[in-house]
Amino acid sequence: LDARSGEWQERKRAWASLGMKSEVGRTENLLKMSATCSLGEKDTSIFDPTVCELAYRWFSPPSGQVVDPFAGGSVRGIVAAQLGLSYWGCDLRAEQVEANRAQAETICAGNKPQWVCGDSMETLASAPAADFIFSCPPYGDLEVYSDDPADLSNMEWHTFVAAYKRIILRAVGKLKDDRFACFVVGDFRDPKGFYRDFVSTTIRAFEECGARLYNEAILVTSVGSASMRVTKQFDASRKMAKTHQNVLVFCKGDPRKAAAACVGSESP
């Protein structure tokens, strides 16, 4: 998936023109000038709405129910609503939920996304049965969103992994049989500079819950500030800059039946 292409960028601008401001509700400079998942050269990660559109059109039944256990900003909910899907998302921080709701009131007409404030470990119990699980989880402590001890981004790595797996277990439990789930993830480094292998951790977590890996796409993102950072990083430590993420699609049950349920959604 080439997010650098002109067609992709044109589609992204069209979505952005709706007035989505997913960075509202977050502390500034969370990424310290990284460009992960951004709509532009931002200092806080913003989920790409074109990724949302493709995932919803390809892997969700028309008018289906989306469940997002790591809701974060407003993008995934607003795009779902604009495409006629029902959306339920959970975020731990009240200020983020309120910012998302305020944007939806302005942008969305009758069909509005639902955001719930709370810990996904608890709130998923009351989430609706899902036709599609779609999320972008926190990348460990790469961005620390709050000082709440229940916030995954505030946890030590081993604690993060345990909590992350439990949330995936609860999310897969909400997913209907013969349906898809999709997480957008990227690997990141520990304090010593070694990769955490977050992609494989996510795959194992889903497969342990009975949702098997069915598709993987590489999302190639713009170079952005990486071109400015890479020389210093490489000279000092031989670290290469990373400009891609992994779009992981899982299936719970029969993939042919899951695909049949998506009939009516647009093909690639």
Side-chain angles (χ1 to χ4, degrees):
L1 302 176
D2 188 0
R4 304 168 302 181
S5 72
E7 184 179 6
W8 187 288
Q9 291 296 322
E10 183 180 354
R11 194 65 182 165
K12 185 188 289 189
R13 286 191 291 271
W15 280 111
S17 69
L18 294 178
M20 290 183 287
K21 297 179 180 179
S22 195
E23 70 275 15
V24 175
R26 300 188 185 190
T27 304
E28 294 183 357
N29 202 26
L30 288 174
L31 283 175
K32 299 180 176 58
M33 295 309 296
S34 171
T36 306
C37 262
S38 65
L39 282 165
E41 195 65 20
K42 303 286 186 179
D43 58 8
T44 298
S45 66
I46 301 173
F47 200 80
D48 189 325
T50 310
V51 176
C52 290
E53 181 176 8
L54 293 180
Y56 291 148
R57 291 192 187 280
W58 292 357
F59 302 113
S60 175
S63 304
Q65 174 68 59
V66 179
V67 169
D68 182 351
F70 302 107
S74 61
V75 171
R76 290 191 294 278
I78 289 176
V79 173
Q82 294 296 100
L83 294 177
L85 302 173
S86 298
Y87 174 92
W88 181 98
C90 176
D91 193 84
L92 194 64
R93 295 174 303 114
E95 62 270 26
Q96 183 69 75
V97 170
E98 289 306 313
N100 293 353
R101 289 172 178 167
Q103 290 179 57
E105 283 296 323
T106 301
I107 298 171
C108 302
N111 180 32
K112 290 186 173 59
Q114 178 186 5
W115 285 283
V116 174
C117 184
D119 186 344
S120 294
M121 204 84 71
E122 301 170 356
T123 58
L124 277 167
S126 57
D131 291 296
F132 185 46
I133 300 290
F134 184 49
S135 200
C136 182
Y139 289 15
D141 59 359
L142 184 63
E143 295 181 333
V144 178
Y145 299 106
S146 74
D147 57 4
D148 189 327
D151 189 333
L152 266 67
S153 70
N154 203 32
M155 296 179 179
E156 296 291 333
W157 175 244
H158 67 283
T159 309
F160 172 96
V161 170
Y164 182 54
K165 287 186 172 183
R166 287 197 297 272
I167 291 171
I168 289 175
L169 176 64
R170 286 161 172 74
V172 172
K174 283 293 178 177
L175 185 62
K176 297 175 184 177
D177 290 336
D178 308 322
R179 293 292 188 270
F180 293 114
C182 177
F183 267 31
V184 179
V185 296
D187 215 346
F188 58 95
R189 299 180 187 274
D190 68 15
K192 293 184 178 180
F194 294 100
Y195 276 121
R196 293 286 196 186
D197 201 15
F198 189 41
V199 175
S200 295
T201 297
T202 301
I203 293 171
R204 286 193 298 269
F206 270 94
E207 296 211 328
E208 288 168 3
C209 301
R212 298 186 63 189
L213 182 65
Y214 192 65
N215 286 313
E216 180 183 15
I218 301 302
L219 175 64
V220 182
T221 53
S222 62
V223 173
S225 63
S227 61
M228 295 182 288
R229 293 182 283 108
V230 66
T231 301
K232 183 177 180 181
Q233 289 181 355
F234 193 79
D235 287 346
S237 61
R238 289 302 187 262
K239 289 180 183 176
M240 294 187 288
K242 187 169 175 291
T243 58
H244 75 275
Q245 294 175 86
N246 301 69
V247 181
L248 305 175
V249 180
F250 304 88
C251 183
K252 179 182 178 180
D254 187 334
R256 290 186 178 273
K257 292 180 180 178
C262 298
V263 171
S265 298
E266 294 186 12
S267 298

